[in-house]
Amino acid sequence: ATVVILVRNRASPLARNHEGYTPYMVAIEKKALDVLREIRRVMVPWEDVEELLTREKVAEAEDRAELMKDRVKHLMVLGFSGPKQDPLELRRGIIDKLQIWNQLVIKDPYETAPKCCILEIRAALLRQELLIPLLELTSSCQLSTEDGVRFKRFIRYLMIGGISVFCGIDVNKVTQIGHEGLENLYQAVHTHARASLQRDKDGETG
């Protein structure tokens, strides 16, 4: 009953206990149907998320950056009532309806006692069509925008939510490539600026 009251009063449905369980996960294992109903009431249906992520494949997109920008904006509207919200620091009255971690959790159908398990097919879709492309675009500085959408904060929200656990070597590889790309970009900018300053200096002395 306490959890239901907290959720109704817009407490975070993704808060974790000392074992890393969200209220949703605890409710599954405790068979707390009233809590499950209340959390699901404010949760975006997975079908809406899936439809958005499968409408157009990243691998087939003519402009991956525009596709991902549009995708994040739509997810922000679905989950946080607006594309310019900060998913990590929601304003008073705004609740996380996307609940990305809870979206991956179901009752294990193979266990006699109620236990949680992860739907790996959902995690794979989020990895392939959301997290990995966003990391790649971020590392190549293709997500800069002037319309106030907090792409980097959204990526951090996904990482904190636990999706990266299912990405393994993919995330490590993309992160490493991105780090190297930024290092190369820094070196190129530094070299260009140094050469430009040297030309200005030579012009003054000449």
Side-chain angles (χ1 to χ4, degrees):
T2 302
V3 175
V4 171
I5 293 172
L6 289 171
V7 172
R8 284 177 179 171
N9 284 275
R10 300 184 178 277
S12 173
L14 295 179
R16 308 288 186 102
N17 63 14
H18 65 284
E19 295 179 334
Y21 279 37
T22 66
Y24 186 74
M25 297 166 69
V26 173
I28 288 176
E29 298 200 349
K30 298 293 184 181
K31 294 184 178 180
L33 300 183
D34 57 337
V35 176
L36 289 174
R37 279 194 297 269
E38 188 61 31
I39 293 177
R40 286 170 180 159
R41 184 182 66 83
V42 297
M43 185 191 300
V44 172
W46 169 254
E47 292 75 16
D48 293 353
V49 178
E50 184 177 40
E51 194 279 329
L52 180 62
L53 297 182
T54 56
R55 189 182 303 162
E56 181 179 1
K57 298 290 186 181
V58 171
E60 300 171 359
E62 293 184 8
D63 190 329
R64 295 174 70 238
E66 287 305 313
L67 171 65
M68 295 310 300
K69 288 179 182 179
D70 185 65
R71 188 169 284 180
V72 171
K73 290 176 185 177
H74 278 82
L75 286 172
M76 290 293 291
V77 171
L78 278 176
F80 306 101
S81 304
K84 298 182 181 181
Q85 296 286 349
D86 183 345
L88 298 178
E89 295 183 17
L90 296 176
R91 297 201 308 264
R92 183 182 297 275
I94 303 295
I95 190 172
D96 179 356
K97 293 179 289 186
L98 193 57
Q99 298 186 40
I100 205 67
W101 180 249
N102 288 340
Q103 297 281 8
L104 304 179
V105 181
I106 62 166
K107 177 184 176 296
D108 192 336
Y110 300 105
E111 292 284 345
T112 52
K115 297 286 289 182
C116 292
C117 70
I118 300 298
L119 277 171
E120 294 186 12
I121 190 169
R122 291 186 180 182
L125 178 63
L126 289 168
R127 175 192 67 210
Q128 190 70 26
E129 294 294 328
L130 193 60
L131 181 57
I132 293 297
L134 285 174
L135 286 172
E136 290 175 342
L137 292 170
T138 300
S139 66
S140 57
C141 302
Q142 295 186 58
L143 283 181
S144 57
T145 179
E146 297 179 356
D147 56 11
V149 181
R150 301 169 182 261
F151 293 108
K152 292 180 182 178
R153 298 287 281 178
F154 184 76
I155 293 171
R156 185 168 176 78
Y157 164 81
L158 295 177
M159 299 287 282
I160 292 174
I163 296 179
S164 59
V165 172
F166 307 98
C167 298
I169 190 65
D170 291 337
V171 164
N172 293 335
K173 181 179 179 181
V174 170
T175 303
Q176 181 62 34
I177 291 174
H179 178 74
E180 292 174 358
L182 290 175
E183 285 284 347
N184 293 336
L185 179 62
Y186 167 78
Q187 290 291 342
V189 170
H190 176 74
T191 301
H192 176 76
R194 185 174 182 178
S196 179
L197 288 172
Q198 185 62 49
R199 285 194 299 270
D200 291 343
K201 183 179 179 181
D202 293 342
E204 291 176 359
T205 56

